[in-house]
Each structure stands twice: as C-alpha cells, then as structure tokens.
mmCIF file of all heavy atoms in Angstrom:
data_model
loop_
_atom_site.group_PDB
_atom_site.id
_atom_site.type_symbol
_atom_site.label_atom_id
_atom_site.label_comp_id
_atom_site.label_asym_id
_atom_site.label_seq_id
_atom_site.Cartn_x
_atom_site.Cartn_y
_atom_site.Cartn_z
ATOM 1 N N LEU A 87 -0.201 6.803 -14.991
ATOM 2 C CA LEU A 87 -0.523 5.383 -15.173
ATOM 3 C C LEU A 87 -1.071 4.800 -13.903
ATOM 4 O O LEU A 87 -0.896 5.370 -12.788
ATOM 5 C CB LEU A 87 0.718 4.618 -15.622
ATOM 6 C CG LEU A 87 1.453 5.174 -16.842
ATOM 7 C CD1 LEU A 87 2.646 4.285 -17.165
ATOM 8 C CD2 LEU A 87 0.539 5.299 -18.021
ATOM 9 N N ALA A 88 -1.726 3.600 -13.998
ATOM 10 C CA ALA A 88 -2.328 2.982 -12.843
ATOM 11 C C ALA A 88 -2.340 1.488 -13.027
ATOM 12 O O ALA A 88 -2.386 0.987 -14.162
ATOM 13 C CB ALA A 88 -3.752 3.536 -12.618
ATOM 14 N N TRP A 89 -2.318 0.763 -11.913
ATOM 15 C CA TRP A 89 -2.496 -0.661 -11.907
ATOM 16 C C TRP A 89 -3.066 -1.096 -10.561
ATOM 17 O O TRP A 89 -3.176 -0.217 -9.623
ATOM 18 C CB TRP A 89 -1.188 -1.435 -12.215
ATOM 19 C CG TRP A 89 -0.149 -1.228 -11.199
ATOM 20 C CD1 TRP A 89 0.032 -1.892 -10.003
ATOM 21 C CD2 TRP A 89 0.940 -0.306 -11.250
ATOM 22 N NE1 TRP A 89 1.129 -1.428 -9.348
ATOM 23 C CE2 TRP A 89 1.725 -0.458 -10.079
ATOM 24 C CE3 TRP A 89 1.342 0.653 -12.211
ATOM 25 C CZ2 TRP A 89 2.855 0.306 -9.843
ATOM 26 C CZ3 TRP A 89 2.484 1.384 -11.974
ATOM 27 C CH2 TRP A 89 3.199 1.211 -10.804
ATOM 28 N N GLY A 90 -3.469 -2.348 -10.432
ATOM 29 C CA GLY A 90 -4.083 -2.789 -9.203
ATOM 30 C C GLY A 90 -3.430 -4.041 -8.603
ATOM 31 O O GLY A 90 -2.761 -4.804 -9.280
ATOM 32 N N PHE A 91 -3.690 -4.226 -7.326
ATOM 33 C CA PHE A 91 -3.289 -5.455 -6.630
ATOM 34 C C PHE A 91 -4.466 -6.087 -6.018
ATOM 35 O O PHE A 91 -5.312 -5.425 -5.339
ATOM 36 C CB PHE A 91 -2.275 -5.115 -5.501
ATOM 37 C CG PHE A 91 -0.908 -4.648 -5.994
ATOM 38 C CD1 PHE A 91 -0.474 -3.394 -5.848
ATOM 39 C CD2 PHE A 91 -0.044 -5.556 -6.590
ATOM 40 C CE1 PHE A 91 0.715 -2.937 -6.267
ATOM 41 C CE2 PHE A 91 1.200 -5.151 -7.067
ATOM 42 C CZ PHE A 91 1.589 -3.833 -6.864
ATOM 43 N N THR A 92 -4.625 -7.404 -6.223
ATOM 44 C CA THR A 92 -5.701 -8.203 -5.621
ATOM 45 C C THR A 92 -5.349 -8.456 -4.179
ATOM 46 O O THR A 92 -4.149 -8.271 -3.751
ATOM 47 C CB THR A 92 -5.932 -9.470 -6.383
ATOM 48 O OG1 THR A 92 -4.755 -10.247 -6.312
ATOM 49 C CG2 THR A 92 -6.256 -9.207 -7.825
ATOM 50 N N PRO A 93 -6.296 -8.927 -3.335
ATOM 51 C CA PRO A 93 -5.948 -9.266 -1.952
ATOM 52 C C PRO A 93 -4.840 -10.309 -1.869
ATOM 53 O O PRO A 93 -4.014 -10.290 -0.963
ATOM 54 C CB PRO A 93 -7.250 -9.739 -1.402
ATOM 55 C CG PRO A 93 -8.332 -9.077 -2.156
ATOM 56 C CD PRO A 93 -7.749 -8.960 -3.512
ATOM 57 N N GLU A 94 -4.815 -11.235 -2.801
ATOM 58 C CA GLU A 94 -3.766 -12.282 -2.789
ATOM 59 C C GLU A 94 -2.416 -11.678 -3.141
ATOM 60 O O GLU A 94 -1.428 -12.129 -2.608
ATOM 61 C CB GLU A 94 -4.110 -13.396 -3.774
ATOM 62 C CG GLU A 94 -5.380 -14.169 -3.422
ATOM 63 C CD GLU A 94 -5.275 -14.870 -2.093
ATOM 64 O OE1 GLU A 94 -4.129 -15.300 -1.777
ATOM 65 O OE2 GLU A 94 -6.276 -15.012 -1.383
ATOM 66 N N GLU A 95 -2.382 -10.692 -4.022
ATOM 67 C CA GLU A 95 -1.147 -10.065 -4.382
ATOM 68 C C GLU A 95 -0.677 -9.065 -3.312
ATOM 69 O O GLU A 95 0.532 -8.845 -3.180
ATOM 70 C CB GLU A 95 -1.279 -9.354 -5.728
ATOM 71 C CG GLU A 95 -1.588 -10.310 -6.902
ATOM 72 C CD GLU A 95 -1.952 -9.566 -8.147
ATOM 73 O OE1 GLU A 95 -2.109 -8.309 -8.109
ATOM 74 O OE2 GLU A 95 -2.057 -10.230 -9.182
ATOM 75 N N LEU A 96 -1.624 -8.521 -2.580
ATOM 76 C CA LEU A 96 -1.228 -7.574 -1.491
ATOM 77 C C LEU A 96 -0.495 -8.300 -0.338
ATOM 78 O O LEU A 96 0.232 -7.625 0.344
ATOM 79 C CB LEU A 96 -2.485 -6.847 -1.002
ATOM 80 C CG LEU A 96 -2.255 -5.521 -0.269
ATOM 81 C CD1 LEU A 96 -1.741 -4.479 -1.194
ATOM 82 C CD2 LEU A 96 -3.581 -5.056 0.383
ATOM 83 N N LYS A 97 -0.724 -9.583 -0.245
ATOM 84 C CA LYS A 97 -0.045 -10.340 0.826
ATOM 85 C C LYS A 97 1.472 -10.437 0.553
ATOM 86 O O LYS A 97 2.223 -10.730 1.466
ATOM 87 C CB LYS A 97 -0.619 -11.734 0.923
ATOM 88 C CG LYS A 97 -2.111 -11.775 1.259
ATOM 89 C CD LYS A 97 -2.593 -13.183 1.197
ATOM 90 C CE LYS A 97 -4.118 -13.276 1.401
ATOM 91 N NZ LYS A 97 -4.628 -14.634 1.314
ATOM 92 N N LEU A 98 1.913 -10.204 -0.667
ATOM 93 C CA LEU A 98 3.304 -10.384 -1.024
ATOM 94 C C LEU A 98 4.180 -9.228 -0.560
ATOM 95 O O LEU A 98 5.415 -9.338 -0.620
ATOM 96 C CB LEU A 98 3.441 -10.531 -2.551
ATOM 97 C CG LEU A 98 2.651 -11.721 -3.151
ATOM 98 C CD1 LEU A 98 2.810 -11.716 -4.666
ATOM 99 C CD2 LEU A 98 3.058 -13.018 -2.557
ATOM 100 N N PHE A 99 3.600 -8.116 -0.166
ATOM 101 C CA PHE A 99 4.396 -7.008 0.380
ATOM 102 C C PHE A 99 5.010 -7.451 1.690
ATOM 103 O O PHE A 99 4.354 -8.123 2.539
ATOM 104 C CB PHE A 99 3.533 -5.788 0.600
ATOM 105 C CG PHE A 99 3.256 -4.993 -0.677
ATOM 106 C CD1 PHE A 99 2.165 -5.228 -1.428
ATOM 107 C CD2 PHE A 99 4.129 -3.945 -1.012
ATOM 108 C CE1 PHE A 99 1.939 -4.479 -2.574
ATOM 109 C CE2 PHE A 99 3.913 -3.207 -2.152
ATOM 110 C CZ PHE A 99 2.799 -3.480 -2.925
ATOM 111 N N PRO A 100 6.298 -7.126 1.921
ATOM 112 C CA PRO A 100 6.902 -7.619 3.182
ATOM 113 C C PRO A 100 6.300 -7.027 4.394
ATOM 114 O O PRO A 100 6.274 -7.679 5.475
ATOM 115 C CB PRO A 100 8.369 -7.141 2.949
ATOM 116 C CG PRO A 100 8.305 -6.090 1.961
ATOM 117 C CD PRO A 100 7.226 -6.405 1.036
ATOM 118 N N GLU A 101 5.708 -5.841 4.329
ATOM 119 C CA GLU A 101 5.048 -5.237 5.530
ATOM 120 C C GLU A 101 3.795 -6.031 5.903
ATOM 121 O O GLU A 101 3.442 -6.065 7.075
ATOM 122 C CB GLU A 101 4.672 -3.763 5.244
ATOM 123 C CG GLU A 101 5.909 -2.856 5.041
ATOM 124 C CD GLU A 101 6.415 -2.880 3.615
ATOM 125 O OE1 GLU A 101 5.804 -3.600 2.788
ATOM 126 O OE2 GLU A 101 7.379 -2.173 3.323
ATOM 127 N N ILE A 102 3.121 -6.623 4.931
ATOM 128 C CA ILE A 102 1.915 -7.394 5.194
ATOM 129 C C ILE A 102 2.293 -8.835 5.533
ATOM 130 O O ILE A 102 1.724 -9.477 6.421
ATOM 131 C CB ILE A 102 0.965 -7.354 4.015
ATOM 132 C CG1 ILE A 102 0.602 -5.937 3.634
ATOM 133 C CG2 ILE A 102 -0.299 -8.146 4.270
ATOM 134 C CD1 ILE A 102 -0.215 -5.189 4.721
ATOM 135 N N GLU A 103 3.306 -9.365 4.864
ATOM 136 C CA GLU A 103 3.664 -10.767 5.014
ATOM 137 C C GLU A 103 4.260 -10.999 6.409
ATOM 138 O O GLU A 103 4.039 -12.095 6.984
ATOM 139 C CB GLU A 103 4.707 -11.129 3.942
ATOM 140 C CG GLU A 103 5.039 -12.623 3.887
ATOM 141 C CD GLU A 103 5.995 -12.877 2.752
ATOM 142 O OE1 GLU A 103 6.504 -11.931 2.145
ATOM 143 O OE2 GLU A 103 6.285 -14.121 2.508
ATOM 144 N N VAL A 104 4.954 -10.065 6.954
ATOM 145 C CA VAL A 104 5.587 -10.320 8.286
ATOM 146 C C VAL A 104 4.567 -10.359 9.385
ATOM 147 O O VAL A 104 4.798 -11.039 10.414
ATOM 148 C CB VAL A 104 6.657 -9.200 8.569
ATOM 149 C CG1 VAL A 104 6.002 -7.829 8.775
ATOM 150 C CG2 VAL A 104 7.535 -9.595 9.689
ATOM 151 N N ASN A 105 3.380 -9.674 9.282
ATOM 152 C CA ASN A 105 2.358 -9.672 10.278
ATOM 153 C C ASN A 105 1.013 -10.099 9.667
ATOM 154 O O ASN A 105 0.004 -9.524 9.976
ATOM 155 C CB ASN A 105 2.223 -8.296 10.910
ATOM 156 C CG ASN A 105 3.419 -7.915 11.784
ATOM 157 O OD1 ASN A 105 3.980 -8.781 12.434
ATOM 158 N ND2 ASN A 105 3.749 -6.624 11.779
ATOM 159 N N TYR A 106 1.072 -11.090 8.813
ATOM 160 C CA TYR A 106 -0.142 -11.484 8.157
ATOM 161 C C TYR A 106 -1.201 -12.065 9.070
ATOM 162 O O TYR A 106 -2.412 -11.884 8.889
ATOM 163 C CB TYR A 106 0.139 -12.531 7.024
ATOM 164 C CG TYR A 106 -1.083 -13.009 6.272
ATOM 165 C CD1 TYR A 106 -1.768 -12.132 5.478
ATOM 166 C CD2 TYR A 106 -1.538 -14.281 6.441
ATOM 167 C CE1 TYR A 106 -2.917 -12.502 4.793
ATOM 168 C CE2 TYR A 106 -2.663 -14.707 5.749
ATOM 169 C CZ TYR A 106 -3.327 -13.824 4.930
ATOM 170 O OH TYR A 106 -4.434 -14.252 4.275
ATOM 171 N N SER A 107 -0.721 -12.706 10.160
ATOM 172 C CA SER A 107 -1.697 -13.297 11.125
ATOM 173 C C SER A 107 -2.398 -12.220 11.958
ATOM 174 O O SER A 107 -3.419 -12.549 12.578
ATOM 175 C CB SER A 107 -0.932 -14.249 12.069
ATOM 176 O OG SER A 107 0.086 -13.519 12.783
ATOM 177 N N MET A 108 -1.935 -10.973 11.877
ATOM 178 C CA MET A 108 -2.607 -9.926 12.613
ATOM 179 C C MET A 108 -3.902 -9.511 11.965
ATOM 180 O O MET A 108 -4.837 -9.037 12.657
ATOM 181 C CB MET A 108 -1.671 -8.705 12.710
ATOM 182 C CG MET A 108 -2.195 -7.512 13.479
ATOM 183 S SD MET A 108 -1.098 -6.141 13.456
ATOM 184 C CE MET A 108 -1.154 -5.677 11.737
ATOM 185 N N TYR A 109 -4.069 -9.689 10.622
ATOM 186 C CA TYR A 109 -5.262 -9.252 9.924
ATOM 187 C C TYR A 109 -6.313 -10.373 10.003
ATOM 188 O O TYR A 109 -5.995 -11.562 9.910
ATOM 189 C CB TYR A 109 -4.886 -8.940 8.465
ATOM 190 C CG TYR A 109 -3.864 -7.887 8.350
ATOM 191 C CD1 TYR A 109 -2.492 -8.217 8.170
ATOM 192 C CD2 TYR A 109 -4.179 -6.518 8.395
ATOM 193 C CE1 TYR A 109 -1.551 -7.212 8.061
ATOM 194 C CE2 TYR A 109 -3.224 -5.532 8.274
ATOM 195 C CZ TYR A 109 -1.905 -5.881 8.142
ATOM 196 O OH TYR A 109 -0.935 -4.910 8.025
ATOM 197 N N PRO A 110 -7.595 -9.960 10.137
ATOM 198 C CA PRO A 110 -8.662 -10.962 10.161
ATOM 199 C C PRO A 110 -8.757 -11.715 8.874
ATOM 200 O O PRO A 110 -8.375 -11.205 7.796
ATOM 201 C CB PRO A 110 -9.916 -10.157 10.432
ATOM 202 C CG PRO A 110 -9.428 -8.860 11.025
ATOM 203 C CD PRO A 110 -8.072 -8.599 10.409
ATOM 204 N N ALA A 111 -9.243 -12.951 8.918
ATOM 205 C CA ALA A 111 -9.326 -13.773 7.696
ATOM 206 C C ALA A 111 -10.328 -13.165 6.733
ATOM 207 O O ALA A 111 -11.433 -12.754 7.095
ATOM 208 C CB ALA A 111 -9.736 -15.183 8.100
ATOM 209 N N LYS A 112 -9.917 -13.146 5.438
ATOM 210 C CA LYS A 112 -10.758 -12.706 4.312
ATOM 211 C C LYS A 112 -11.216 -11.222 4.478
ATOM 212 O O LYS A 112 -12.244 -10.830 3.990
ATOM 213 C CB LYS A 112 -12.001 -13.596 4.189
ATOM 214 C CG LYS A 112 -11.628 -15.017 3.873
ATOM 215 C CD LYS A 112 -12.920 -15.842 3.660
ATOM 216 C CE LYS A 112 -12.530 -17.312 3.316
ATOM 217 N NZ LYS A 112 -13.740 -18.130 3.099
ATOM 218 N N MET A 113 -10.439 -10.439 5.241
ATOM 219 C CA MET A 113 -10.748 -9.023 5.382
ATOM 220 C C MET A 113 -9.696 -8.145 4.723
ATOM 221 O O MET A 113 -9.893 -6.911 4.628
ATOM 222 C CB MET A 113 -10.884 -8.620 6.841
ATOM 223 C CG MET A 113 -12.216 -8.974 7.456
ATOM 224 S SD MET A 113 -12.464 -8.171 9.037
ATOM 225 C CE MET A 113 -14.088 -8.766 9.458
ATOM 226 N N LEU A 114 -8.599 -8.717 4.248
ATOM 227 C CA LEU A 114 -7.562 -7.943 3.631
ATOM 228 C C LEU A 114 -8.039 -7.530 2.257
ATOM 229 O O LEU A 114 -8.323 -8.403 1.425
ATOM 230 C CB LEU A 114 -6.277 -8.756 3.533
ATOM 231 C CG LEU A 114 -4.982 -7.964 3.180
ATOM 232 C CD1 LEU A 114 -4.675 -6.960 4.277
ATOM 233 C CD2 LEU A 114 -3.848 -8.896 2.944
ATOM 234 N N PRO A 115 -8.128 -6.229 1.939
ATOM 235 C CA PRO A 115 -8.640 -5.832 0.624
ATOM 236 C C PRO A 115 -7.555 -5.697 -0.425
ATOM 237 O O PRO A 115 -6.375 -5.837 -0.144
ATOM 238 C CB PRO A 115 -9.209 -4.412 0.978
ATOM 239 C CG PRO A 115 -8.274 -3.896 1.982
ATOM 240 C CD PRO A 115 -7.801 -5.094 2.787
ATOM 241 N N GLY A 116 -7.958 -5.447 -1.644
ATOM 242 C CA GLY A 116 -7.041 -5.091 -2.670
ATOM 243 C C GLY A 116 -6.829 -3.563 -2.743
ATOM 244 O O GLY A 116 -7.398 -2.808 -1.962
ATOM 245 N N CYS A 117 -6.040 -3.088 -3.668
ATOM 246 C CA CYS A 117 -5.786 -1.656 -3.741
ATOM 247 C C CYS A 117 -5.488 -1.279 -5.233
ATOM 248 O O CYS A 117 -5.172 -2.133 -6.009
ATOM 249 C CB CYS A 117 -4.662 -1.188 -2.818
ATOM 250 S SG CYS A 117 -3.010 -1.841 -3.369
ATOM 251 N N ARG A 118 -5.548 -0.034 -5.490
ATOM 252 C CA ARG A 118 -5.272 0.507 -6.793
ATOM 253 C C ARG A 118 -4.119 1.539 -6.611
ATOM 254 O O ARG A 118 -4.199 2.371 -5.720
ATOM 255 C CB ARG A 118 -6.506 1.178 -7.319
ATOM 256 C CG ARG A 118 -6.418 1.593 -8.802
ATOM 257 C CD ARG A 118 -6.572 0.426 -9.717
ATOM 258 N NE ARG A 118 -6.646 0.816 -11.099
ATOM 259 C CZ ARG A 118 -6.551 -0.016 -12.152
ATOM 260 N NH1 ARG A 118 -6.362 -1.288 -11.869
ATOM 261 N NH2 ARG A 118 -6.570 0.412 -13.392
ATOM 262 N N VAL A 119 -3.165 1.483 -7.511
ATOM 263 C CA VAL A 119 -1.968 2.341 -7.436
ATOM 264 C C VAL A 119 -2.008 3.284 -8.657
ATOM 265 O O VAL A 119 -2.097 2.842 -9.787
ATOM 266 C CB VAL A 119 -0.671 1.514 -7.511
ATOM 267 C CG1 VAL A 119 0.557 2.445 -7.414
ATOM 268 C CG2 VAL A 119 -0.640 0.515 -6.313
ATOM 269 N N PHE A 120 -1.972 4.588 -8.386
ATOM 270 C CA PHE A 120 -1.964 5.617 -9.386
ATOM 271 C C PHE A 120 -0.606 6.347 -9.328
ATOM 272 O O PHE A 120 -0.290 6.918 -8.280
ATOM 273 C CB PHE A 120 -3.085 6.627 -9.140
ATOM 274 C CG PHE A 120 -4.480 6.040 -9.172
ATOM 275 C CD1 PHE A 120 -5.035 5.583 -8.010
ATOM 276 C CD2 PHE A 120 -5.184 5.911 -10.346
ATOM 277 C CE1 PHE A 120 -6.305 4.980 -7.980
ATOM 278 C CE2 PHE A 120 -6.467 5.379 -10.365
ATOM 279 C CZ PHE A 120 -7.019 4.903 -9.150
ATOM 280 N N VAL A 121 0.137 6.245 -10.434
ATOM 281 C CA VAL A 121 1.456 6.876 -10.483
ATOM 282 C C VAL A 121 1.331 8.140 -11.323
ATOM 283 O O VAL A 121 1.008 8.084 -12.507
ATOM 284 C CB VAL A 121 2.512 5.922 -11.106
ATOM 285 C CG1 VAL A 121 3.868 6.588 -11.189
ATOM 286 C CG2 VAL A 121 2.530 4.616 -10.329
ATOM 287 N N LYS A 122 1.614 9.239 -10.695
ATOM 288 C CA LYS A 122 1.581 10.600 -11.385
ATOM 289 C C LYS A 122 2.970 11.001 -11.752
ATOM 290 O O LYS A 122 3.832 11.078 -10.859
ATOM 291 C CB LYS A 122 0.903 11.598 -10.497
ATOM 292 C CG LYS A 122 0.668 12.901 -11.187
ATOM 293 C CD LYS A 122 -0.125 13.871 -10.287
ATOM 294 C CE LYS A 122 -0.364 15.219 -10.959
ATOM 295 N NZ LYS A 122 -1.121 16.166 -10.088
ATOM 296 N N THR A 123 3.230 11.215 -13.007
ATOM 297 C CA THR A 123 4.537 11.599 -13.489
ATOM 298 C C THR A 123 4.462 13.036 -14.060
ATOM 299 O O THR A 123 3.374 13.573 -14.314
ATOM 300 C CB THR A 123 5.058 10.609 -14.543
ATOM 301 O OG1 THR A 123 4.205 10.727 -15.706
ATOM 302 C CG2 THR A 123 5.006 9.209 -14.020
ATOM 303 N N THR A 124 5.626 13.553 -14.380
ATOM 304 C CA THR A 124 5.739 14.857 -15.045
ATOM 305 C C THR A 124 5.705 14.806 -16.560
ATOM 306 O O THR A 124 5.878 15.804 -17.220
ATOM 307 C CB THR A 124 7.007 15.605 -14.554
ATOM 308 O OG1 THR A 124 8.142 14.786 -14.895
ATOM 309 C CG2 THR A 124 7.016 15.854 -13.088
ATOM 310 N N ALA A 125 5.538 13.549 -17.084
ATOM 311 C CA ALA A 125 5.471 13.382 -18.563
ATOM 312 C C ALA A 125 4.202 13.996 -19.091
ATOM 313 O O ALA A 125 3.156 14.105 -18.389
ATOM 314 C CB ALA A 125 5.541 11.863 -18.903
ATOM 315 N N THR A 126 4.229 14.383 -20.345
ATOM 316 C CA THR A 126 3.091 14.996 -21.015
ATOM 317 C C THR A 126 2.310 13.980 -21.837
ATOM 318 O O THR A 126 1.332 14.394 -22.549
ATOM 319 C CB THR A 126 3.541 16.176 -21.870
ATOM 320 O OG1 THR A 126 4.541 15.685 -22.769
ATOM 321 C CG2 THR A 126 4.118 17.274 -20.988
ATOM 322 N N SER A 127 2.702 12.741 -21.836
ATOM 323 C CA SER A 127 1.925 11.686 -22.610
ATOM 324 C C SER A 127 2.158 10.337 -21.949
ATOM 325 O O SER A 127 3.135 10.136 -21.173
ATOM 326 C CB SER A 127 2.417 11.650 -24.055
ATOM 327 O OG SER A 127 3.746 11.217 -24.150
ATOM 328 N N ASP A 128 1.217 9.419 -22.201
ATOM 329 C CA ASP A 128 1.344 8.092 -21.655
ATOM 330 C C ASP A 128 2.548 7.339 -22.206
ATOM 331 O O ASP A 128 3.138 6.489 -21.564
ATOM 332 C CB ASP A 128 0.087 7.261 -21.884
ATOM 333 C CG ASP A 128 -1.135 7.893 -21.199
ATOM 334 O OD1 ASP A 128 -0.940 8.670 -20.266
ATOM 335 O OD2 ASP A 128 -2.281 7.559 -21.563
ATOM 336 N N ARG A 129 2.944 7.646 -23.418
ATOM 337 C CA ARG A 129 4.116 7.014 -24.068
ATOM 338 C C ARG A 129 5.384 7.316 -23.269
ATOM 339 O O ARG A 129 6.190 6.429 -22.978
ATOM 340 C CB ARG A 129 4.255 7.470 -25.504
ATOM 341 C CG ARG A 129 5.365 6.770 -26.293
ATOM 342 C CD ARG A 129 5.321 7.185 -27.753
ATOM 343 N NE ARG A 129 5.792 8.572 -27.873
ATOM 344 C CZ ARG A 129 7.054 8.898 -28.144
ATOM 345 N NH1 ARG A 129 7.966 7.949 -28.259
ATOM 346 N NH2 ARG A 129 7.386 10.147 -28.302
ATOM 347 N N HIS A 130 5.587 8.591 -22.932
ATOM 348 C CA HIS A 130 6.763 8.958 -22.134
ATOM 349 C C HIS A 130 6.705 8.353 -20.765
ATOM 350 O O HIS A 130 7.702 7.993 -20.148
ATOM 351 C CB HIS A 130 6.877 10.454 -22.071
ATOM 352 C CG HIS A 130 7.292 11.082 -23.394
ATOM 353 N ND1 HIS A 130 7.305 12.391 -23.601
ATOM 354 C CD2 HIS A 130 7.683 10.515 -24.553
ATOM 355 C CE1 HIS A 130 7.727 12.695 -24.814
ATOM 356 N NE2 HIS A 130 7.949 11.518 -25.434
ATOM 357 N N ALA A 131 5.507 8.303 -20.174
ATOM 358 C CA ALA A 131 5.374 7.733 -18.831
ATOM 359 C C ALA A 131 5.685 6.215 -18.826
ATOM 360 O O ALA A 131 6.323 5.668 -17.897
ATOM 361 C CB ALA A 131 3.959 7.927 -18.288
#
C-alpha cells in the first residue's frame, strides 16, 4: 500500500516541526510512503 504527504502535512512530523526554521521557505517538499507487507493481497494488507 502507499499514500502521500503534502509539504504542509510534512511539517507536522516532530522532527521537522522542531527545526522548521532551519529549512528555506517554500523549499520543503512532499513525499510518498510505500508500505511493503508480507500479505498476498491488498485486502489482507
């Protein structure tokens, strides 16, 4: 399975929020998260 985070949602991570002023303005990107499981179907995952 997979989902994504926009740049606004990526700011909510505590690792980003604690040092948010360290990143340049409007340069923080979004990301895509891919979760690989041992299930053999999307229903079980």
